[in-house]
Amino acid sequence: MKKLMFVYFILLVLFSYSVCSLPDFEIGFTSSLDKVFFEDEIEFDGDLVNHSEIYLAKNEYEAIQFVIFPKVDMKNVELLVSDFTSDTNIISSSDINIQVIGYVSLADNRFNENRVGWYPDPVLPNQQLNLTKDILQPYLITVYAKDDLVAGDYIGKIKLKFEDNQEFEYNLTIHVWDFVLPKVSKFKTATFFSWDTIRSMWKPWETKTRQDAKSIFYDIAKLSFRNKLQPVIGMVSGYECWQNNVYLNYPTYDEQDNFDSSLVEEFIDFFIEQGANHFYIARLCDMVKYPNTKNHLTNYLTKYEEYLESRDLLDMVYLYNLDEPWGTSINHCKYNYNYIKDITQNMEMMQNTNRNDNSVLNDFLDHFDAIDINLGFHDINE
């Protein structure tokens, strides 16, 4: 059984499966969290259902999947959506995004050894498709409720069009709750996302320009912010270290290795505009094992602090200490912390811990400014 934890509140997506009255295909709705595989069969309950519902707050995105199971080959299949209305109030079709779920072929799967072959993963622009008999095709339908929208039930239709001008309409109700999700969250979340991540995902990277990289980052980052997962670790730091080596890179350093705040300012402004409540400017090395990294880090933080102070942003800044420490590295984390505090008292240190050891966790709680806990690795019982 899948268990999901939501920080703000539980978002409820009620979904039902529908049997189309036409003999050539069946349709259904399912959660946006489900993976729909080619060989899966939709378990219809046998009733002819013509209605499904989505529940969401104001200033929230919520999604469901619309799934087609063709009994014959189908050509020129297209999914469209109407405006949704509640009395005189409207959710425009421009606030409802339809995307095609694509598939990639996996020869190996390190997360699930039993699942190889075609795997649902890429989300593609809405387009006409030719569907193959007995192969499911899911679509992702994402609704956005603006923060000034009047609460209530909004009624609209999803239209399925295909060859020979055939059409099928499916009723959908969007229920908007009478409260607004704040743009800037009180709860802090963070995800790792760096320029190295972008380089590793798009091959051949040599064909991409810096503008290409920025465009890719903005697209992924906006999706992350929509889901309250701020991609704030790695994107505004040009300081990288690996063991005893330090690399001074974009976006905080120019091509002559000079610190240049004008390069990183664009991304900090973007974070703030998207509603970020914090961001990270460095991920630290073990300065006990690799003391040669100290001078570079000191110079970097001194220059970055001047810029951040000029913009009154120091209260949003974190440094990321050693990741997943254990053994002797636990005390090395404390050494790093004390070294940073000797440089500046204006930046907070965040310490990751995901070892199942409550004594270490409690020790860190007494020592660091903030703790990042991977609950999947912790049994917190004290």
Side-chain angles (χ1 to χ4, degrees):
M1 179 180 294
K2 298 179 180 177
K3 295 183 179 180
L4 303 174
M5 182 178 73
F6 295 87
V7 174
Y8 283 99
F9 57 93
I10 297 176
L11 298 177
L12 177 62
V13 179
L14 298 180
F15 61 90
S16 60
Y17 292 113
S18 167
V19 179
C20 174
S21 60
L22 297 177
D24 291 341
F25 64 91
E26 295 175 330
I27 64 169
F29 281 87
T30 190
S31 166
S32 60
L33 300 176
D34 288 344
K35 295 288 187 181
V36 179
F37 295 93
F38 283 160
E39 64 271 29
D40 285 358
E41 293 186 2
I42 302 177
E43 297 178 0
F44 294 102
D45 59 14
D47 296 327
L48 292 176
V49 181
N50 64 358
H51 188 262
S52 189
E53 299 173 328
I54 298 177
Y55 289 74
L56 74 169
K58 301 175 187 179
N59 190 35
E60 185 185 15
Y61 293 84
E62 186 57 88
I64 55 175
Q65 287 186 89
F66 180 95
V67 184
I68 305 175
F69 180 52
K71 298 179 180 179
V72 298
D73 291 347
M74 298 174 63
K75 295 182 178 179
N76 303 325
V77 177
E78 185 176 14
L79 205 63
L80 304 172
V81 67
S82 70
D83 290 339
F84 283 66
T85 59
S86 176
D87 295 328
T88 59
N89 305 304
I90 296 176
I91 297 178
S92 170
S93 59
S94 62
D95 290 322
I96 303 172
N97 188 26
I98 299 177
Q99 295 167 297
V100 175
I101 302 296
Y103 290 78
V104 293
S105 182
L106 296 183
D108 183 35
N109 188 343
R110 63 191 178 98
F111 296 106
N112 184 347
E113 295 179 358
N114 297 323
R115 177 67 70 177
V116 295
W118 292 106
Y119 200 92
D121 187 67
V123 181
L124 309 173
N126 193 21
Q127 57 195 281
Q128 282 193 349
L129 299 177
N130 294 327
L131 304 185
T132 302
K133 177 184 176 181
D134 297 334
I135 294 182
L136 293 168
Q137 177 57 58
Y139 294 77
L140 186 68
I141 302 175
T142 305
V143 179
Y144 174 62
K146 294 180 177 178
D147 57 8
D148 60 352
L149 197 64
V150 175
D153 290 327
Y154 290 75
I155 310 298
K157 293 185 180 296
I158 297 171
K159 180 181 293 186
L160 176 63
K161 299 177 65 176
F162 46 99
E163 57 186 328
D164 299 328
N165 295 319
Q166 297 184 72
E167 294 185 1
F168 176 77
E169 290 186 344
Y170 197 88
N171 297 320
L172 183 65
T173 297
I174 300 171
H175 180 84
V176 180
W177 298 108
D178 195 15
F179 63 93
V180 182
L181 284 188
K183 180 178 180 179
V184 180
S185 303
K186 293 184 179 179
F187 190 81
K188 293 181 180 179
T189 63
T191 55
F192 280 102
F193 191 63
S194 68
W195 298 103
D196 283 339
T197 305
I198 296 176
R199 284 191 290 268
S200 65
M201 292 172 67
W202 273 265
K203 302 292 185 180
W205 184 252
E206 293 73 20
T207 65
K208 303 295 184 182
T209 65
R210 180 172 290 177
Q211 189 59 44
D212 292 330
K214 289 163 60 174
S215 178
I216 293 169
F217 160 64
Y218 284 135
D219 286 343
I220 297 178
K222 288 175 182 177
L223 179 62
S224 297
F225 275 110
R226 274 172 31 184
N227 291 281
K228 308 301 180 183
L229 297 172
Q230 304 179 53
V232 292
I233 301 180
M235 294 310 300
V236 294
S237 172
Y239 172 86
E240 297 180 35
C241 58
W242 175 248
Q243 297 182 348
N244 215 27
N245 299 313
V246 174
Y247 306 94
L248 306 178
N249 298 323
Y250 177 83
T252 46
Y253 287 90
D254 62 21
E255 295 178 355
Q256 287 74 44
D257 291 341
N258 297 313
F259 185 88
D260 187 349
S261 61
S262 66
L263 298 174
V264 76
E265 189 168 51
E266 173 184 351
F267 303 106
I268 292 177
D269 289 344
F270 169 79
F271 279 161
I272 294 172
E273 192 277 329
Q274 292 294 314
N277 53 20
H278 68 299
F279 52 86
Y280 292 73
I281 64 170
R283 183 178 178 183
L284 306 187
C285 288
D286 188 329
M287 288 184 282
V288 175
K289 295 173 65 175
Y290 308 111
N292 290 344
T293 63
K294 293 180 182 179
N295 288 338
H296 285 296
L297 180 62
T298 300
N299 292 333
Y300 172 73
L301 293 181
T302 300
K303 293 175 181 177
Y304 216 148
E305 183 177 22
E306 292 175 0
Y307 163 72
L308 294 168
E309 187 173 23
S310 72
R311 294 196 58 189
D312 196 24
L313 294 176
L314 282 170
D315 61 343
M316 296 183 68
V317 171
Y318 282 92
L319 306 177
Y320 193 93
N321 207 1
L322 304 183
D323 194 48
E324 302 179 16
W326 63 283
T328 58
S329 62
I330 291 173
N331 285 328
H332 295 185
C333 289
K334 297 178 182 180
Y335 177 90
N336 279 6
Y337 177 86
N338 292 328
Y339 182 84
I340 293 299
K341 292 304 178 180
D342 285 340
I343 299 173
T344 175
Q345 294 290 322
N346 296 322
M347 297 183 185
E348 293 195 340
M349 179 87 78
M350 200 281 288
Q351 179 60 58
N352 169 270
T353 170
N354 67 3
R355 296 286 170 177
N356 196 5
D357 188 335
N358 285 336
S359 62
V360 172
L361 175 61
N362 290 332
D363 189 15
F364 279 168
L365 285 172
D366 293 335
H367 198 85
F368 290 95
D369 301 312
I371 302 292
D372 166 37
I373 303 172
N374 187 332
L375 293 176
F377 290 83
H378 263 285
D379 178 18
I380 300 175
N381 51 31
E382 299 179 9

